[in-house]
């Protein structure tokens, strides 16, 4: 790890939190940001835990809500329906910052939140939800799971509607954030926790 000048946030909890929030906001908007594709871990399944890569669709620094889209029939949705707590892990190698964002998740399948996200989504993205069988179902052949006639093209608006019942928005509200900054002369780690009134408790940890 090569030496580099100290980051202004290195020894400042408020600035570290500000930096974390900014990276999440920018990660949702910028497809090239490493924060755009975090790992999302849930409790459930054969091993009691599972984790997978997802796309960060939005982050609201006021509500502290992370938004992803998922097929309502997936294992992750079943896990969250049973045990709502999950964690997102983000790492930006250029910034040398890892975030672990913990909190309860809500799933929206019908209703205004899912409708708005569906309305904003591209037809090509909607195609993922057009598979007749649930993601993770056994298949007797190598398959995309999609109806054969839409495999090689973007479906029309009308065709995508078959996927709407499978589309869900998942929101995780961060109640605890673990911050890790890797630095040549000593790493820094901090924990930020929010109570139900939204008050934030912050403290340094030994990395
Ligand atoms: C780069 C990348 C982005 C992905 N984005 C999503 C996503 O936004 N939502 C999603 O449900 N699955 C996404 N996936 C697929 C998941 O990693 C996973 O395979 C799928 O959701 C089924 O997981 P589950 O059975 O644990 O629910 C993505 C995979 C990759 C490699």
């Amino acid at each position: 790890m090569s030496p580099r000048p100290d980051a202004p946030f290195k020894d400042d909890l408020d600035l570290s939190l500000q930096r974390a929030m900014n990276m999440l906001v920018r990660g949702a908007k910028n497809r090239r940001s490493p924060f755009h594709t975090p790992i999302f871990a849930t409790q459930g399944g054969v091993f009691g835990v599972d984790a997978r890569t997802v796309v960060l669709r939005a982050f609201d620094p006021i509500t502290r809500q992370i938004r992803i889209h998922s097929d309502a029939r997936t294992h992750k949705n079943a896990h969250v329906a049973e045990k709502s707590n999950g964690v997102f892990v983000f790492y930006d190698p250029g910034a040398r910052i890892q975030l672990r964002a913990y909190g309860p998740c809500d799933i929206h399948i019908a209703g205004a939140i899912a409708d708005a996200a569906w309305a904003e989504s591209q037809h090509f993205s909607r195609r993922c939800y057009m598979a007749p069988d649930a993601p993770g179902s056994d298949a007797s052949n190598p398959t995309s799971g999609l109806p054969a006639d839409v495999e090689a093209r973007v479906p029309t608006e009308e065709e995508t509607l078959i996927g709407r019942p499978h589309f869900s928005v998942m929101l995780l509200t961060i109640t605890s954030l673990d911050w890790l900054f890797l630095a040549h002369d000593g790493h820094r780690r901090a924990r930020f926790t929010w109570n139900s009134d939204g008050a934030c408790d912050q403290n340094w940890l030994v990395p």
Side-chain angles (χ1 to χ4, degrees), residues 37 50 52-55 57 69-71 74-77:
T37 46
D50 210 344
R52 73 288 289 162
T53 312
V54 291
V55 171
R57 302 284 171 178
H69 297 167
S70 172
D71 192 306
T74 56
H75 295 143
K76 76 179 82 50
N77 282 54

Side-chain angles (χ1 to χ4, degrees), residues 7-85:
F9 52 77
K10 187 176 172 199
D11 293 324
D12 186 312
L13 280 168
D14 290 333
L15 289 183
S16 295
L17 178 59
Q18 208 178 86
R19 175 91 168 121
M21 294 291 174
N22 287 343
M23 287 179 78
L24 289 170
V25 170
R26 271 191 255 126
K29 292 181 183 151
N30 180 1
R31 282 163 186 252
R32 282 188 297 235
S33 163
F35 270 36
H36 195 62
T37 46
I39 302 297
F40 176 45
T42 51
Q43 307 171 71
V46 178
F47 298 100
V49 290
D50 210 344
R52 73 288 289 162
T53 312
V54 291
V55 171
L56 172 65
R57 302 284 171 178
F59 176 68
D60 182 336
I62 307 297
T63 59
R64 305 185 311 281
Q65 277 182 337
I66 290 172
R67 172 156 69 89
I68 65 163
H69 297 167
S70 172
D71 192 306
R73 303 166 292 174
T74 56
H75 295 143
K76 76 179 82 50
N77 282 54
H79 297 174
V80 163
E82 199 157 311
K83 290 186 175 169
S84 73
N85 280 342

Side-chain angles (χ1 to χ4, degrees), residues 160-176:
T160 66
L161 298 181
I162 196 173
R164 175 63 188 87
H166 308 146
F167 176 77
S168 76
V169 169
M170 199 177 293
L171 298 173
L172 178 145
T173 303
I174 303 176
T175 54
S176 180

Side-chain angles (χ1 to χ4, degrees), residues 76-132:
K76 76 179 82 50
N77 282 54
H79 297 174
V80 163
E82 199 157 311
K83 290 186 175 169
S84 73
N85 280 342
V87 53
F88 282 88
V89 182
F90 301 84
Y91 180 57
D92 184 327
R96 295 175 182 158
I97 290 169
Q98 171 185 268
L99 296 184
R100 284 180 285 173
Y102 304 84
C105 303
D106 290 314
I107 299 170
H108 299 263
I109 301 171
I113 290 177
D115 283 345
W118 177 261
E120 278 175 21
S121 63
Q122 309 276 329
H123 293 181
F124 184 71
S125 311
R126 291 184 185 183
R127 196 177 66 159
C128 300
Y129 301 93
M130 292 173 65

